[in-house]
Amino acid sequence: MRTTIRGTRRRAVALTAAVLGAALLGGCAEDSDAPGATGSSGAAAGKKTTLTVGVFGVFGYQQAGLYDAYMKLHPDITIKETSIERNENYYPQLLTHLSTGSGLTDIQAVEVNNIAEVTATQAGKLVDLSKAPGVRKDDFIPWKWAQATNASGKTVGLGTDIGPMAICYRKDLFAKAGLPTDRNAVAKLWAGDWGKYLDVGERYMSKAPAGTAFVDSASGVYNAVISSSAERYYDRNGKLVYKDSPSVRKAWDAAMRAATGKLTARLQQFQKSWDQAYANGRFATVSCPPWMLGYIKEKSGDAGRDKWDVAAAPKPGNWGGSFLAVPEASRHRSEAVKLAAWLTAPEQQAKLFTKQASFPSARTAYGLPAVAEAKHPYFGDAPIGKIFAAAAEGIPHQVLGPKDLTVNQNITDVGVLQVDQQGKTPEQGWRAAVESIDNALDQ
């Protein structure tokens, strides 16, 4: 299996956090104002409690100095993080440890594509964090809170980041193709309809600079469109319905229009050829959540400075996000709950956005200067805090299922890719995707 998008996304954030962090304007809230900042845990003088945090990839808490800040506020606490690079290796181990009640860290990260399964099948093994001191449900985006809350009202995870999407576009290529370049004017071209986005693509291709395409990949189009739908692969009763899902059909048709209409550069995201295409200016648009900005800057280099800009997407969608959970088997459950609450508090989420490009799931953070005033000079001083906050508020409450990731990857990496890169027909691509999904789910 190839690296999951999420795993790649974590490394992309790690690679480019410094360049984005340096670009964001606005101050960060003082740690002393945050939940849990009122003193130590009360452990015996001179005796420290070690809290362990298990994550996949780079969550940024260590890199942003949040662990150090918490330990300074709580001298009797030591924090140790363990990280497994790829979520497809991390998650099976987490399930095994939860089933046995051993081998768990005090805090465990859970990826958004796994939260539905964890909430449905492992809630009894995890602490209800809605009752944690300092945690307020209203601080969080409602759909993010709901994703980790089961039918009984137990909240097994606190939201860390989310990935509200925009469209990053090349102003210089748009100008050469006779399209507007102002970000507000660009957003109006496709506002409210992914079909209009593809209409713009056809206009672009009619006058496209030689060697360029409108969008990087058909898979990117598919993921962008499907991310803006509430029901995708499962219905609200938990039944797998991707074969008959109107949302899947809409996203598939959009991807096929892009592929067969030759609007794409026929690339696969997070591959070397995709990275090189940024440097060579081979495509004019790409769907981008906040964490993608630093990646684009890194791969496009100095030559791309002020050529890229950021506009609102046709419809709000989400790409990425995680949660922090505390196992009932934690050796230091009370202290772990306090740390999880502090790490996901609005003030810390705002600081993490500034330092690591992780956009807050705590909506209260959107009013803090670190988010509200954030601009990115590489992208023409685009007001990214306002753009992504507006997108975050509009993201639908998505129905998640236990095998969302399996279904999505096989549609994009098998079905869409065969049409975009191998010249198969849309019918052939869909049959290949369904066969691959059925085989994967039967294992």
Side-chain angles (χ1 to χ4, degrees), residues 225-247:
V225 177
I226 199 68
S227 76
S228 59
S229 300
E231 290 192 21
R232 305 179 299 171
Y233 308 128
Y234 290 80
D235 65 17
R236 296 190 182 277
N237 296 318
K239 181 181 178 182
L240 187 66
V241 295
Y242 80 92
K243 293 179 183 178
D244 302 308
S245 166
S247 297

Side-chain angles (χ1 to χ4, degrees), residues 335-357:
E335 295 304 329
V337 168
K338 293 176 184 177
L339 175 58
W342 188 87
L343 288 172
T344 56
E347 295 82 2
Q348 276 63 259
Q349 291 206 25
K351 184 173 183 179
L352 200 63
F353 172 57
T354 301
K355 299 292 186 180
Q356 292 294 123

